[in-house]
Amino acid sequence: MKASNQLIAKIFREIAVYLLMEDVPFKPQAYEKAANVIDGLEEEVGLIYQKGKIKALEDIPGVGVSMAEKIEELIRTGRIKYYEELKKKYPINLDELGAIEGLGPKSLFKLYKKLGVKNLKDLEVAAKSGKISRLENFGEKSEENILEGIEFVKKGSGRFVLGFIMPEIRIIAARLKKIKEVDRLEIAG
């Protein structure tokens, strides 16, 4: 697995979500910030690492020692043990559930802990059975909104968490910019 900037950014964003689920202070924002910086770099992080090893990674704005070590681990081994441990601890499909409007990390965590919701199918079963409305800080309206969100996603025009989809958008934009007929390209909502 190639450690592209987009992959590193995606992993860091997911780590941020997992840390938000655990109510960890400060770290989620640090991972999100680093993900945004890495996602916007012109140069691939792998090349930066080749030139200056871990010290060069630490020179990336927002990337501290711990994150640099995780990037190095990904480059060298193709995986980040810490990330895999979080995914194992919370086997939640963040791509699927993140597409549902109004479901943030805290809601996802509560749905997972109380109802075992791991994916879109689990969420739909829980919502249709009325279990979500019985949870604290949820209600019938929340359940209705979740069901509407599921239908929206199923129709293929679902919403996406910008942080999760931005790596794909950047790949498409880079490909389009290489077309000689393209003079200017702007990413817009």
Side-chain angles (χ1 to χ4, degrees):
M1 174 187 327
K2 184 178 177 271
S4 69
N5 291 5
Q6 290 78 25
L7 177 63
I8 295 166
K10 181 182 186 302
I11 289 171
F12 278 11
R13 284 187 180 99
E14 288 187 11
I15 289 172
V17 171
Y18 291 129
L19 293 174
L20 283 168
M21 286 180 189
E22 293 184 338
D23 232 0
V24 175
F26 309 113
K27 280 187 178 183
Q29 295 82 358
Y31 274 97
E32 186 67 39
K33 179 182 175 190
N36 290 336
V37 169
I38 290 167
D39 211 10
L41 290 175
E42 294 288 324
E43 188 174 16
E44 283 293 320
V45 172
L47 293 174
I48 294 170
Y49 177 74
Q50 281 179 351
K51 291 177 187 175
K53 301 297 178 210
I54 200 157
K55 179 67 181 126
L57 296 178
E58 291 173 23
D59 289 340
I60 298 170
V63 174
V65 175
S66 174
M67 286 184 214
E69 289 170 351
K70 287 173 180 64
I71 294 169
E72 180 181 48
E73 181 183 359
L74 182 65
I75 290 169
R76 296 180 77 209
T77 68
R79 58 192 280 266
I80 298 175
K81 187 179 174 194
Y82 177 66
Y83 172 62
E84 290 179 0
E85 287 169 357
L86 288 170
K87 281 175 48 172
K88 193 174 191 178
K89 187 174 181 181
Y90 306 111
I92 300 168
N93 187 327
L94 295 177
D95 289 332
E96 278 186 11
L97 296 176
I100 305 297
E101 186 173 1
L103 284 185
K106 302 277 189 217
S107 299
L108 292 176
F109 182 68
K110 183 176 273 188
L111 291 168
Y112 170 69
K113 279 295 189 193
K114 302 285 185 184
L115 303 176
V117 172
K118 297 178 186 176
N119 53 42
L120 204 56
K121 185 181 177 201
D122 294 345
L123 182 65
E124 186 172 23
V125 168
K128 285 184 175 177
S129 67
K131 291 180 181 177
I132 293 174
S133 63
R134 290 183 237 140
L135 292 177
E136 185 181 344
N137 298 325
F138 286 92
E140 286 182 29
K141 185 67 178 158
S142 296
E143 201 165 66
E144 286 173 29
N145 290 341
I146 287 169
L147 285 168
E148 286 175 17
I150 291 168
E151 286 308 309
F152 194 64
V153 168
K154 281 183 169 183
K155 289 178 182 171
S157 60
R159 296 175 58 96
F160 298 95
V161 174
L162 185 59
F164 291 154
I165 197 67
M166 189 53 101
E168 299 299 321
I169 293 169
R170 290 194 194 281
I171 290 169
I172 293 167
R175 288 183 184 153
L176 290 171
K177 284 180 183 177
K178 290 178 182 175
I179 299 171
K180 66 178 181 175
E181 291 83 10
V182 175
D183 293 327
R184 183 172 170 218
L185 181 121
E186 294 291 331
I187 297 172

